[in-house]
Every structure is written in structure tokens, then in C-alpha cells.
Amino acid sequence: MRPRPRVLTAAAFALTMAVGFVPAADARQSAGGEVRQPTRGAATSASGYEKSAPPDTDGTPASYANGTSSSYADVLDLQGVPASADPGEFNPLNVFADRGAWHAYALPSASEPSTYGGFTGPLHIAQEYPWWLSKSFSRIRLTEAGKALDLAARGTPRLTSLPGLLRQTYRLDGLRLTLELRFATDRTALVRARIQNTGRAPRTLAADWTGTLLRPEAPPQRDAPALTATPRGVAVGFARVREKWDYLTDGTERFEVTHRAPVRTTVTGDTYRSELAAPLSLAPGAARTLDWAESYTFTPAERAREAASVRRVLARPAATAASGDARWRGYVAGVTRGVPADRRRLAVKSLETLVTNWRSAAGRIRHDAISPSLSYKWFAGGVWAWDTWKQAVGTARFAPRLAQSQIRAMFDHQIRPTSVTRPQDAGMIPDAVFYNDPSDGGGNWNERNSKPPLAAWAVWEVYRHSGDRAFLREMYPKLAAYQAWWYRNRDHGRDGLAEYGATVDPANDSTEQRRLAAAWESGMDNAPRFDAALGTSVVANHDASGTVTGYSLIQESVDLNAYLAADQGHLASIAGELKVTAGERRWRGRAAATHRAVRTRMYDPKDGWFHDTALDSGEPLTARGRGIEGAIPLWTGTATPAQAAAVRDRLTDPNEFATPVPFPTVARSSPYFAPQRYWRGPVWLDQAYFAQAGLRRYGYGAQARALTDRLLTTAHGLSSRSPVMENYDPLTGAPLNSPNFSWSAAVLLPMLSRR
């Protein structure tokens, strides 16, 4: 599935608190749905400090729509400190990002007082790969009469994550220090340090910040970062490094800390110190807030643009914070609407997963999109087609404009008829796009295959939540071109049933590589039905002139054709909304024909299951066992009632698909069942979603609810503070593969609300 060769200032007026969107002053912000709210006045002193209003009684932002913010505290365990710059293939620390930023943070570890006073990180993405820049780049220290105040003197601080922010609270002798981190823009985090005098005597304090680089161990990336003092803080510049599989920079990237109040900075090797230029004088009960911005940009143009944004943010930090809190209240309301109270924390965890994996436009990614996981090296800096369709469906529930944007991010690279390198693939959507394409030395970009066609479903679901007909008009011809590509390049027998396959591409230079690309195109890379040992191979497809246009597997796949039928139905609905009467009629006819072909030619009545069929004979390939793809015709409404009843019997059988964690990708009875081997048994939540939704569609709601509840209860960590995983062991519920996985989080949202 994933080859590795493999600020805004707040307006002075309130806007309706809908999850819809308002135009942002900076176009790069718009996908996130900025919601501006009026803010309480916060006086600013001439020295650049902010006189803070008293905190809320519980120390948290205002209540969210379905419970207080504290109801959603720490839905993920975000505490920890990295041991080295390299997070490893799977980053063991969960992190927080927002607004599509390419850098992220965590809370310090309660057991490591040496990291108190700062947020862990940042974790930054070197175009495609995540690296830790520091254990804690900006640690604040308070001193009084030349003596540093011990942040651990009164015990462990309160370290909390809330929707949209990280918070630390320290109780000192007669003082309270609160640190909060939010993202102000797609390139900048805003950090606020509030110091309150809780004693009876006036206090005079000095403040400074320190941080030390974590260098990668191996050259040339080891020598890439370098510290530099700036008039308002400190910056890290990066040398040009083009390590295709580890570290990619152009020498123009920059991480920069900008303080609101005047500071003096000194740099010694890999360590810096920024001192507040003027002392803080606090009367009893008084409080002051120190604000600074932490920005990560890729290009000089971004840096110049972001400098203006940072000035606006630091001019009104309280308004920026309030605006962000309002936006997150809308997000939380969107994902918890209709969700039972005992499942709302899981909905918010899914929300936080998707937002942290949100990447704003950068490099070859031209629109905001959502990566599969910032926690996995190979997933952090790119976006995939199949993931995007499912992620958009989940994202539409809280940020329809962001859902639209991520669909555009894939269609930006739809192959045009004027393509110089692959005109035969006009209409195709590449499998994956990254910050770099091959011309820039990127190795992860993939055009050797596409992905299952669920784009029209995604567009229609986004429209259901947004009501934006302009988006339908924009996407309709592009979706039609994508459908046409499947039948032109992947229907070898011209019989109306398509096959997964491979493109004419330098990487597809052998039969085995073409088979591998075709398996990737299915999204179910190593599923038994694609095993070469079981006879799976490929044949060439040709145009009218005899030119090879691509390759097809020698089997017609049931999920592919059910997806095509569903998307044809969604295209008919789109055409209907756009008053394209002839188009609606044509797509309805196409959908009916495809549904009919699947249910009459791909169902085996003796087996009670839908199967791929042999390209030559049309016979169901039952010897490869039953796979979860056979349940897709229920989700798409393809099956007859009798067929659906037979499939229901298999889905509810403990010896088939009703395993302790239900809906494995291969039936438990299959000789190829392997509970921890990617697509040979683990439970993938997208397929579980399709299966339980299919049961509901055919009237088996009680069975669907029972199996879904069991899945949510027994899949490890879903009901605790552990991350949402890529997949799960169907027998034990053990977490498998990538943590903080976006499409799992996305499909959980409709599963939880059942709407």
C-alpha cells in the first residue's frame, strides 16, 4: 500500500459558531476553518508584557459543546522526551500539531525534572522525514535575587493536553507558572507563560530561556542545523542535505523563536540563552504573561510571509489564543454530535489524531492535506489517495473546508491528457504524492499504481456536510475522468469488470514488479488473493494502436468493482445536484450495470461469499479463502437480500470474521490467516467500518452494533490514552504497525455516531 523503494488577529466581532468556515486573512489558514470570537480585554504594558485576566476557576478554557474541556483532557498520553534526534521508524512519543504545521510538540515527562519549563521538541519534518530538533528547545527559567527558582520544589507539575493546546502548571512558593502552547498559523506555535504572584509580598523576577540542539548522529545531516542569535530570540538554520531515504533540506529551512518582549541572546555551540531585558515586578495577586512564537518555514518566501503573521500574533496573543479555542470548540462539537457519552473521548482522540497529521501546503503538496501518521517515518511527509478519500469523510464532520482541501491535494496531480511522460494515464490519480517528486530527488512519490476509486464517495460525503455546490461543480469532471481511466486502462476483457494493475512506469520493469504494483493498487498489499505463489500474475493492456497502456492482474477484484459501482452512484447524485440530467441518467445506468455484474458474476452461492474472479474463465477464486473484501458489496448495496444474509452469517461466525476483535482481513478459517501479518488477518478499521455499515444497510443493526461495540472495547487502547493504531491483532487486540493512524481515526467518527 505504501511502497518505500520506498494569525491571525481575532476580529472584534463574533461570528456564528458553526463548524462551517469563514475566510481567513491568510489563504494558508483557510482550510482549518478559523472561527473568530471577541476576546476579553487584556492590557499591554509598555515593556511588552501582557497583564492577564484572572484564570477560569478550573484553569481551563470555556466549556465545549458536549461536556467541559476537562472532559477531554489527556485523551492521548502526550508526555515524554526523546533520547536522540532520530525518532526511529516508529516514534514512541505521541505529539501535538495543529493548522497543518510541519513541526509538533509534546509535554515533558513528569519523571524528568530537567525538562520542566519547556515543551518537548519540536519534532520537525525535514521535507519528508521527522526529526527531533531538541529535547526542549525553549525552557523558561525564573530567578529572584540571582537565585533560580526550582520548578520541581513543590512536587510534580500538572501536565495536561486539552483539545487544541498543551498546558503545564507549576506551583512555586508564592507563585504560579502556567505555560500554554497553541498553534497560531500553519507555520507558527504561540507559547504563553503566565506568572502570577499568589503570595502577600511583591516579587521582582528575572526570566530567561535556554535550549540545546539534538544533532543527528550521522553525517551529512549531523552538520545540518546551526544556532544563530536574532534581535528577538534565536534561530536554527539548516544546511542543504539530500539524503533520499533519511533527511531532505534545501538549505533554506529555518526554525525561529521570536519573543514579544525584548531579550538578549547568546549562543555557545549548540546551546543558547535568551534573557529578558527588563525584570518582572509583580504586586500581590498580579500576573504577567510572556509570549513568544516558534516558527518553522521551508523557503525565504514563507519566512518573509510568516514574519508578518508572527508580528500580528504577538501584537494580540490573547485574541489569537481565544480564536484558536473557539475553533476547537467547533471541532469538538462536530465530532461528538450524536456520539454516546462513553465514546466521546475516543471521538476527540480521533479528532486530535487527524489534526496532528494535517500538513499544510508545502513543496509539491499544493493544498492542505492529511498524512497517514506523523509517528511513522515513511508516512510523515506525504499523502495517499485511498487514505485521503477516507480521511476526508471523517474530516468533513468537523472541518469541511479541510476535507475539500485534502481531496484537491490529490487531484492537483491527476494525470492530464497533455502529460509528456504518461498521456495514456489521463485521468489517473497517483498512489502517493510527497514534498518532493522524482525530479527533486524524492524517492517516495509513486505513480506506478493508483488506489481504489472512492473519490466520488468522499466528495459526496463532504458535500453532505458542507452544502457547497461549487465544490461539486469543480470535482465532477475530474471524477468522471478518473472513472474513465479505470475502464480504459484496467478493464482487460472490456466486459465491464475492472482489474487492479500497474502503469507503464520505469519501476514496473518486470512481471513481479507489475504484480507488486497491482497489489499496492488494491491497498491490500500482501493479501493472499495477490500471492504469486497462488498463481497471481499480470497481463498487458493495449490501446487501439497496439501500444501498451498498462497492466492488469489476471483476476477481476470484487472490492474494486463494488467501489466503482458505488462511485458511479455518487456521480449520479452529484450530477443530479448540479442539474446535469443526462449525466445523472447515464451514471445511474452505469451503476446499475456494475452492481448487476458484481452480484451475478462474483458471488459463489456454495461458499456464501463474494470473491475475485479469474480473468479468463470468470470463475470465483475460492481456493484463496475468504477475505474481508467480500463484505464490500453489502456496504455498496450491491448484494441481493439473500446474498447479504449469507455474508451476514460469515461476518457473525466466530470461526470466520467474528473474532475477539471482529472483522479480520482474512477469515479465521482460511489456511492463509495470519493475525499479525498486515493484510493477512489483522483488523483494519476501514474494512471494519465498511463491514458493519454493510450489515446495518441490510437491516442487521443489532449484529452490527454488537460487533462494533466489541471491536471498540477489545482493540487495545481505543478506550484508554493509547494512540489509534493502523491495525490490530484480531485474536488478542494487540496494537499493530503505525500509531496515530489517520484513516483509522477518520472512520471511527462515523462508526461512533452512526450518521
Side-chain angles (χ1 to χ4, degrees), residues 383-411:
V383 292
W384 275 259
W386 202 28
D387 302 58
T388 293
W389 314 146
K390 290 172 276 194
Q391 290 159 188
V393 169
T395 306
R397 292 168 176 267
F398 64 91
R401 186 174 292 179
L402 175 57
Q404 291 177 349
S405 182
Q406 56 187 304
I407 291 171
R408 290 187 179 105
M410 294 309 306
F411 275 91

PDB file of all heavy atoms in Angstrom, residues 383-411:
ATOM      1  N   VAL A 383       1.096  12.196   1.205  1.00  0.00           N
ATOM      2  CA  VAL A 383      -0.333  11.903   1.267  1.00  0.00           C
ATOM      3  C   VAL A 383      -0.665  10.858   0.213  1.00  0.00           C
ATOM      4  O   VAL A 383      -0.077  10.838  -0.872  1.00  0.00           O
ATOM      5  CB  VAL A 383      -1.187  13.179   1.080  1.00  0.00           C
ATOM      6  CG1 VAL A 383      -1.006  14.087   2.283  1.00  0.00           C
ATOM      7  CG2 VAL A 383      -0.838  13.938  -0.184  1.00  0.00           C
ATOM      8  N   TRP A 384      -1.615   9.994   0.557  1.00  0.00           N
ATOM      9  CA  TRP A 384      -2.014   8.874  -0.294  1.00  0.00           C
ATOM     10  C   TRP A 384      -3.459   9.027  -0.726  1.00  0.00           C
ATOM     11  O   TRP A 384      -4.295   9.568   0.025  1.00  0.00           O
ATOM     12  CB  TRP A 384      -1.867   7.561   0.461  1.00  0.00           C
ATOM     13  CG  TRP A 384      -0.501   6.961   0.427  1.00  0.00           C
ATOM     14  CD1 TRP A 384      -0.062   5.928  -0.359  1.00  0.00           C
ATOM     15  CD2 TRP A 384       0.636   7.339   1.232  1.00  0.00           C
ATOM     16  NE1 TRP A 384       1.260   5.657  -0.085  1.00  0.00           N
ATOM     17  CE2 TRP A 384       1.715   6.496   0.877  1.00  0.00           C
ATOM     18  CE3 TRP A 384       0.842   8.314   2.207  1.00  0.00           C
ATOM     19  CZ2 TRP A 384       2.973   6.601   1.464  1.00  0.00           C
ATOM     20  CZ3 TRP A 384       2.083   8.418   2.795  1.00  0.00           C
ATOM     21  CH2 TRP A 384       3.142   7.571   2.424  1.00  0.00           C
ATOM     22  N   ALA A 385      -3.764   8.500  -1.899  1.00  0.00           N
ATOM     23  CA  ALA A 385      -5.103   8.669  -2.454  1.00  0.00           C
ATOM     24  C   ALA A 385      -6.159   7.942  -1.624  1.00  0.00           C
ATOM     25  O   ALA A 385      -7.161   8.545  -1.208  1.00  0.00           O
ATOM     26  CB  ALA A 385      -5.130   8.173  -3.902  1.00  0.00           C
ATOM     27  N   TRP A 386      -5.977   6.646  -1.389  1.00  0.00           N
ATOM     28  CA  TRP A 386      -7.008   5.861  -0.688  1.00  0.00           C
ATOM     29  C   TRP A 386      -7.201   6.387   0.729  1.00  0.00           C
ATOM     30  O   TRP A 386      -8.316   6.483   1.226  1.00  0.00           O
ATOM     31  CB  TRP A 386      -6.587   4.393  -0.672  1.00  0.00           C
ATOM     32  CG  TRP A 386      -7.720   3.435  -0.486  1.00  0.00           C
ATOM     33  CD1 TRP A 386      -9.021   3.626  -0.852  1.00  0.00           C
ATOM     34  CD2 TRP A 386      -7.643   2.140   0.099  1.00  0.00           C
ATOM     35  NE1 TRP A 386      -9.759   2.502  -0.533  1.00  0.00           N
ATOM     36  CE2 TRP A 386      -8.938   1.581   0.040  1.00  0.00           C
ATOM     37  CE3 TRP A 386      -6.618   1.377   0.639  1.00  0.00           C
ATOM     38  CZ2 TRP A 386      -9.227   0.303   0.522  1.00  0.00           C
ATOM     39  CZ3 TRP A 386      -6.905   0.106   1.113  1.00  0.00           C
ATOM     40  CH2 TRP A 386      -8.194  -0.421   1.058  1.00  0.00           C
ATOM     41  N   ASP A 387      -6.095   6.731   1.380  1.00  0.00           N
ATOM     42  CA  ASP A 387      -6.190   7.322   2.709  1.00  0.00           C
ATOM     43  C   ASP A 387      -7.007   8.604   2.653  1.00  0.00           C
ATOM     44  O   ASP A 387      -7.864   8.860   3.508  1.00  0.00           O
ATOM     45  CB  ASP A 387      -4.796   7.642   3.247  1.00  0.00           C
ATOM     46  CG  ASP A 387      -3.881   6.433   3.316  1.00  0.00           C
ATOM     47  OD1 ASP A 387      -3.663   5.805   2.268  1.00  0.00           O
ATOM     48  OD2 ASP A 387      -3.371   6.135   4.406  1.00  0.00           O
ATOM     49  N   THR A 388      -6.723   9.431   1.644  1.00  0.00           N
ATOM     50  CA  THR A 388      -7.373  10.734   1.544  1.00  0.00           C
ATOM     51  C   THR A 388      -8.876  10.607   1.424  1.00  0.00           C
ATOM     52  O   THR A 388      -9.627  11.362   2.064  1.00  0.00           O
ATOM     53  CB  THR A 388      -6.797  11.517   0.353  1.00  0.00           C
ATOM     54  OG1 THR A 388      -5.431  11.846   0.635  1.00  0.00           O
ATOM     55  CG2 THR A 388      -7.581  12.787   0.086  1.00  0.00           C
ATOM     56  N   TRP A 389      -9.362   9.669   0.611  1.00  0.00           N
ATOM     57  CA  TRP A 389     -10.811   9.545   0.436  1.00  0.00           C
ATOM     58  C   TRP A 389     -11.465   9.251   1.790  1.00  0.00           C
ATOM     59  O   TRP A 389     -12.495   9.854   2.132  1.00  0.00           O
ATOM     60  CB  TRP A 389     -11.156   8.440  -0.559  1.00  0.00           C
ATOM     61  CG  TRP A 389     -10.373   8.415  -1.840  1.00  0.00           C
ATOM     62  CD1 TRP A 389      -9.998   7.292  -2.545  1.00  0.00           C
ATOM     63  CD2 TRP A 389      -9.874   9.522  -2.624  1.00  0.00           C
ATOM     64  NE1 TRP A 389      -9.302   7.625  -3.675  1.00  0.00           N
ATOM     65  CE2 TRP A 389      -9.205   8.987  -3.756  1.00  0.00           C
ATOM     66  CE3 TRP A 389      -9.907  10.900  -2.468  1.00  0.00           C
ATOM     67  CZ2 TRP A 389      -8.588   9.783  -4.720  1.00  0.00           C
ATOM     68  CZ3 TRP A 389      -9.287  11.700  -3.428  1.00  0.00           C
ATOM     69  CH2 TRP A 389      -8.647  11.142  -4.540  1.00  0.00           C
ATOM     70  N   LYS A 390     -10.882   8.361   2.558  1.00  0.00           N
ATOM     71  CA  LYS A 390     -11.482   8.000   3.852  1.00  0.00           C
ATOM     72  C   LYS A 390     -11.288   9.108   4.881  1.00  0.00           C
ATOM     73  O   LYS A 390     -12.192   9.408   5.676  1.00  0.00           O
ATOM     74  CB  LYS A 390     -10.881   6.672   4.325  1.00  0.00           C
ATOM     75  CG  LYS A 390     -11.346   5.488   3.489  1.00  0.00           C
ATOM     76  CD  LYS A 390     -10.631   4.201   3.818  1.00  0.00           C
ATOM     77  CE  LYS A 390      -9.328   4.070   3.104  1.00  0.00           C
ATOM     78  NZ  LYS A 390      -8.769   2.709   3.135  1.00  0.00           N
ATOM     79  N   GLN A 391     -10.107   9.707   4.876  1.00  0.00           N
ATOM     80  CA  GLN A 391      -9.846  10.796   5.820  1.00  0.00           C
ATOM     81  C   GLN A 391     -10.778  11.982   5.583  1.00  0.00           C
ATOM     82  O   GLN A 391     -11.233  12.630   6.531  1.00  0.00           O
ATOM     83  CB  GLN A 391      -8.389  11.231   5.713  1.00  0.00           C
ATOM     84  CG  GLN A 391      -7.431  10.184   6.254  1.00  0.00           C
ATOM     85  CD  GLN A 391      -6.019  10.311   5.729  1.00  0.00           C
ATOM     86  OE1 GLN A 391      -5.185   9.452   5.972  1.00  0.00           O
ATOM     87  NE2 GLN A 391      -5.730  11.362   4.987  1.00  0.00           N
ATOM     88  N   ALA A 392     -11.051  12.278   4.325  1.00  0.00           N
ATOM     89  CA  ALA A 392     -11.937  13.405   4.020  1.00  0.00           C
ATOM     90  C   ALA A 392     -13.338  13.165   4.569  1.00  0.00           C
ATOM     91  O   ALA A 392     -13.995  14.094   5.047  1.00  0.00           O
ATOM     92  CB  ALA A 392     -11.989  13.644   2.512  1.00  0.00           C
ATOM     93  N   VAL A 393     -13.795  11.920   4.517  1.00  0.00           N
ATOM     94  CA  VAL A 393     -15.125  11.597   5.037  1.00  0.00           C
ATOM     95  C   VAL A 393     -15.188  11.871   6.535  1.00  0.00           C
ATOM     96  O   VAL A 393     -16.169  12.420   7.047  1.00  0.00           O
ATOM     97  CB  VAL A 393     -15.476  10.125   4.716  1.00  0.00           C
ATOM     98  CG1 VAL A 393     -16.723   9.681   5.473  1.00  0.00           C
ATOM     99  CG2 VAL A 393     -15.675   9.951   3.211  1.00  0.00           C
ATOM    100  N   GLY A 394     -14.127  11.509   7.266  1.00  0.00           N
ATOM    101  CA  GLY A 394     -14.099  11.804   8.693  1.00  0.00           C
ATOM    102  C   GLY A 394     -13.914  13.279   8.976  1.00  0.00           C
ATOM    103  O   GLY A 394     -14.596  13.862   9.833  1.00  0.00           O
ATOM    104  N   THR A 395     -13.010  13.921   8.250  1.00  0.00           N
ATOM    105  CA  THR A 395     -12.707  15.340   8.481  1.00  0.00           C
ATOM    106  C   THR A 395     -13.910  16.226   8.200  1.00  0.00           C
ATOM    107  O   THR A 395     -14.089  17.267   8.848  1.00  0.00           O
ATOM    108  CB  THR A 395     -11.528  15.766   7.587  1.00  0.00           C
ATOM    109  OG1 THR A 395     -10.424  14.883   7.800  1.00  0.00           O
ATOM    110  CG2 THR A 395     -11.081  17.184   7.901  1.00  0.00           C
ATOM    111  N   ALA A 396     -14.750  15.830   7.257  1.00  0.00           N
ATOM    112  CA  ALA A 396     -15.913  16.645   6.902  1.00  0.00           C
ATOM    113  C   ALA A 396     -16.836  16.883   8.082  1.00  0.00           C
ATOM    114  O   ALA A 396     -17.597  17.854   8.103  1.00  0.00           O
ATOM    115  CB  ALA A 396     -16.689  15.980   5.765  1.00  0.00           C
ATOM    116  N   ARG A 397     -16.757  16.050   9.096  1.00  0.00           N
ATOM    117  CA  ARG A 397     -17.636  16.185  10.259  1.00  0.00           C
ATOM    118  C   ARG A 397     -17.256  17.360  11.145  1.00  0.00           C
ATOM    119  O   ARG A 397     -18.066  17.805  11.954  1.00  0.00           O
ATOM    120  CB  ARG A 397     -17.631  14.884  11.064  1.00  0.00           C
ATOM    121  CG  ARG A 397     -18.283  13.753  10.316  1.00  0.00           C
ATOM    122  CD  ARG A 397     -18.058  12.384  10.927  1.00  0.00           C
ATOM    123  NE  ARG A 397     -18.821  11.427  10.154  1.00  0.00           N
ATOM    124  CZ  ARG A 397     -20.058  11.041  10.431  1.00  0.00           C
ATOM    125  NH1 ARG A 397     -20.669  11.520  11.504  1.00  0.00           N
ATOM    126  NH2 ARG A 397     -20.694  10.190   9.661  1.00  0.00           N
ATOM    127  N   PHE A 398     -16.014  17.817  11.033  1.00  0.00           N
ATOM    128  CA  PHE A 398     -15.626  18.952  11.872  1.00  0.00           C
ATOM    129  C   PHE A 398     -14.967  20.078  11.093  1.00  0.00           C
ATOM    130  O   PHE A 398     -14.906  21.206  11.573  1.00  0.00           O
ATOM    131  CB  PHE A 398     -14.694  18.499  13.006  1.00  0.00           C
ATOM    132  CG  PHE A 398     -13.361  17.953  12.560  1.00  0.00           C
ATOM    133  CD1 PHE A 398     -12.259  18.781  12.430  1.00  0.00           C
ATOM    134  CD2 PHE A 398     -13.200  16.599  12.301  1.00  0.00           C
ATOM    135  CE1 PHE A 398     -11.024  18.294  12.029  1.00  0.00           C
ATOM    136  CE2 PHE A 398     -11.974  16.086  11.897  1.00  0.00           C
ATOM    137  CZ  PHE A 398     -10.884  16.932  11.763  1.00  0.00           C
ATOM    138  N   ALA A 399     -14.475  19.814   9.875  1.00  0.00           N
ATOM    139  CA  ALA A 399     -13.800  20.850   9.089  1.00  0.00           C
ATOM    140  C   ALA A 399     -14.016  20.576   7.607  1.00  0.00           C
ATOM    141  O   ALA A 399     -13.114  20.101   6.918  1.00  0.00           O
ATOM    142  CB  ALA A 399     -12.311  20.896   9.428  1.00  0.00           C
ATOM    143  N   PRO A 400     -15.206  20.872   7.077  1.00  0.00           N
ATOM    144  CA  PRO A 400     -15.478  20.563   5.666  1.00  0.00           C
ATOM    145  C   PRO A 400     -14.496  21.198   4.696  1.00  0.00           C
ATOM    146  O   PRO A 400     -14.155  20.595   3.674  1.00  0.00           O
ATOM    147  CB  PRO A 400     -16.900  21.097   5.458  1.00  0.00           C
ATOM    148  CG  PRO A 400     -17.521  21.059   6.818  1.00  0.00           C
ATOM    149  CD  PRO A 400     -16.414  21.376   7.765  1.00  0.00           C
ATOM    150  N   ARG A 401     -14.028  22.397   4.981  1.00  0.00           N
ATOM    151  CA  ARG A 401     -13.101  23.033   4.048  1.00  0.00           C
ATOM    152  C   ARG A 401     -11.765  22.291   4.006  1.00  0.00           C
ATOM    153  O   ARG A 401     -11.146  22.152   2.952  1.00  0.00           O
ATOM    154  CB  ARG A 401     -12.888  24.503   4.415  1.00  0.00           C
ATOM    155  CG  ARG A 401     -12.042  25.260   3.393  1.00  0.00           C
ATOM    156  CD  ARG A 401     -11.956  26.742   3.696  1.00  0.00           C
ATOM    157  NE  ARG A 401     -13.251  27.394   3.521  1.00  0.00           N
ATOM    158  CZ  ARG A 401     -13.453  28.683   3.747  1.00  0.00           C
ATOM    159  NH1 ARG A 401     -12.475  29.450   4.180  1.00  0.00           N
ATOM    160  NH2 ARG A 401     -14.644  29.215   3.550  1.00  0.00           N
ATOM    161  N   LEU A 402     -11.310  21.798   5.150  1.00  0.00           N
ATOM    162  CA  LEU A 402     -10.100  20.992   5.174  1.00  0.00           C
ATOM    163  C   LEU A 402     -10.323  19.685   4.424  1.00  0.00           C
ATOM    164  O   LEU A 402      -9.424  19.202   3.719  1.00  0.00           O
ATOM    165  CB  LEU A 402      -9.675  20.718   6.619  1.00  0.00           C
ATOM    166  CG  LEU A 402      -8.476  19.782   6.820  1.00  0.00           C
ATOM    167  CD1 LEU A 402      -7.242  20.293   6.089  1.00  0.00           C
ATOM    168  CD2 LEU A 402      -8.181  19.614   8.319  1.00  0.00           C
ATOM    169  N   ALA A 403     -11.501  19.107   4.547  1.00  0.00           N
ATOM    170  CA  ALA A 403     -11.813  17.892   3.795  1.00  0.00           C
ATOM    171  C   ALA A 403     -11.743  18.152   2.294  1.00  0.00           C
ATOM    172  O   ALA A 403     -11.196  17.344   1.528  1.00  0.00           O
ATOM    173  CB  ALA A 403     -13.200  17.382   4.193  1.00  0.00           C
ATOM    174  N   GLN A 404     -12.299  19.280   1.856  1.00  0.00           N
ATOM    175  CA  GLN A 404     -12.203  19.637   0.441  1.00  0.00           C
ATOM    176  C   GLN A 404     -10.746  19.789   0.014  1.00  0.00           C
ATOM    177  O   GLN A 404     -10.336  19.317  -1.058  1.00  0.00           O
ATOM    178  CB  GLN A 404     -12.942  20.950   0.184  1.00  0.00           C
ATOM    179  CG  GLN A 404     -14.440  20.888   0.316  1.00  0.00           C
ATOM    180  CD  GLN A 404     -15.086  22.250   0.128  1.00  0.00           C
ATOM    181  OE1 GLN A 404     -14.415  23.285   0.095  1.00  0.00           O
ATOM    182  NE2 GLN A 404     -16.412  22.264   0.013  1.00  0.00           N
ATOM    183  N   SER A 405      -9.975  20.455   0.853  1.00  0.00           N
ATOM    184  CA  SER A 405      -8.584  20.744   0.508  1.00  0.00           C
ATOM    185  C   SER A 405      -7.781  19.471   0.307  1.00  0.00           C
ATOM    186  O   SER A 405      -6.979  19.370  -0.626  1.00  0.00           O
ATOM    187  CB  SER A 405      -7.951  21.608   1.608  1.00  0.00           C
ATOM    188  OG  SER A 405      -6.623  21.943   1.282  1.00  0.00           O
ATOM    189  N   GLN A 406      -7.987  18.475   1.172  1.00  0.00           N
ATOM    190  CA  GLN A 406      -7.170  17.273   1.015  1.00  0.00           C
ATOM    191  C   GLN A 406      -7.554  16.489  -0.239  1.00  0.00           C
ATOM    192  O   GLN A 406      -6.697  15.861  -0.868  1.00  0.00           O
ATOM    193  CB  GLN A 406      -7.202  16.407   2.266  1.00  0.00           C
ATOM    194  CG  GLN A 406      -8.541  15.964   2.759  1.00  0.00           C
ATOM    195  CD  GLN A 406      -8.431  15.247   4.093  1.00  0.00           C
ATOM    196  OE1 GLN A 406      -7.714  14.260   4.248  1.00  0.00           O
ATOM    197  NE2 GLN A 406      -9.145  15.742   5.092  1.00  0.00           N
ATOM    198  N   ILE A 407      -8.825  16.560  -0.635  1.00  0.00           N
ATOM    199  CA  ILE A 407      -9.204  15.942  -1.914  1.00  0.00           C
ATOM    200  C   ILE A 407      -8.512  16.677  -3.064  1.00  0.00           C
ATOM    201  O   ILE A 407      -7.980  16.053  -3.997  1.00  0.00           O
ATOM    202  CB  ILE A 407     -10.739  15.963  -2.072  1.00  0.00           C
ATOM    203  CG1 ILE A 407     -11.376  14.999  -1.052  1.00  0.00           C
ATOM    204  CG2 ILE A 407     -11.148  15.587  -3.496  1.00  0.00           C
ATOM    205  CD1 ILE A 407     -12.884  15.099  -0.971  1.00  0.00           C
ATOM    206  N   ARG A 408      -8.487  17.998  -3.004  1.00  0.00           N
ATOM    207  CA  ARG A 408      -7.794  18.766  -4.046  1.00  0.00           C
ATOM    208  C   ARG A 408      -6.300  18.415  -4.092  1.00  0.00           C
ATOM    209  O   ARG A 408      -5.690  18.414  -5.163  1.00  0.00           O
ATOM    210  CB  ARG A 408      -7.954  20.253  -3.788  1.00  0.00           C
ATOM    211  CG  ARG A 408      -9.351  20.803  -4.016  1.00  0.00           C
ATOM    212  CD  ARG A 408      -9.368  22.316  -3.898  1.00  0.00           C
ATOM    213  NE  ARG A 408     -10.690  22.866  -4.126  1.00  0.00           N
ATOM    214  CZ  ARG A 408     -11.489  23.330  -3.170  1.00  0.00           C
ATOM    215  NH1 ARG A 408     -11.080  23.329  -1.901  1.00  0.00           N
ATOM    216  NH2 ARG A 408     -12.681  23.824  -3.460  1.00  0.00           N
ATOM    217  N   ALA A 409      -5.712  18.156  -2.935  1.00  0.00           N
ATOM    218  CA  ALA A 409      -4.274  17.858  -2.898  1.00  0.00           C
ATOM    219  C   ALA A 409      -3.932  16.646  -3.747  1.00  0.00           C
ATOM    220  O   ALA A 409      -2.842  16.586  -4.332  1.00  0.00           O
ATOM    221  CB  ALA A 409      -3.822  17.630  -1.451  1.00  0.00           C
ATOM    222  N   MET A 410      -4.840  15.679  -3.841  1.00  0.00           N
ATOM    223  CA  MET A 410      -4.608  14.522  -4.711  1.00  0.00           C
ATOM    224  C   MET A 410      -4.952  14.848  -6.165  1.00  0.00           C
ATOM    225  O   MET A 410      -4.201  14.498  -7.083  1.00  0.00           O
ATOM    226  CB  MET A 410      -5.424  13.320  -4.234  1.00  0.00           C
ATOM    227  CG  MET A 410      -5.015  12.754  -2.885  1.00  0.00           C
ATOM    228  SD  MET A 410      -3.237  12.388  -2.685  1.00  0.00           S
ATOM    229  CE  MET A 410      -2.912  11.327  -4.085  1.00  0.00           C
ATOM    230  N   PHE A 411      -6.069  15.531  -6.382  1.00  0.00           N
ATOM    231  CA  PHE A 411      -6.473  15.831  -7.760  1.00  0.00           C
ATOM    232  C   PHE A 411      -5.573  16.876  -8.412  1.00  0.00           C
ATOM    233  O   PHE A 411      -5.574  17.011  -9.639  1.00  0.00           O
ATOM    234  CB  PHE A 411      -7.941  16.259  -7.807  1.00  0.00           C
ATOM    235  CG  PHE A 411      -8.887  15.095  -7.885  1.00  0.00           C
ATOM    236  CD1 PHE A 411      -9.390  14.519  -6.735  1.00  0.00           C
ATOM    237  CD2 PHE A 411      -9.235  14.546  -9.111  1.00  0.00           C
ATOM    238  CE1 PHE A 411     -10.250  13.427  -6.800  1.00  0.00           C
ATOM    239  CE2 PHE A 411     -10.085  13.459  -9.202  1.00  0.00           C
ATOM    240  CZ  PHE A 411     -10.600  12.889  -8.033  1.00  0.00           C
TER     241      PHE A 411
END
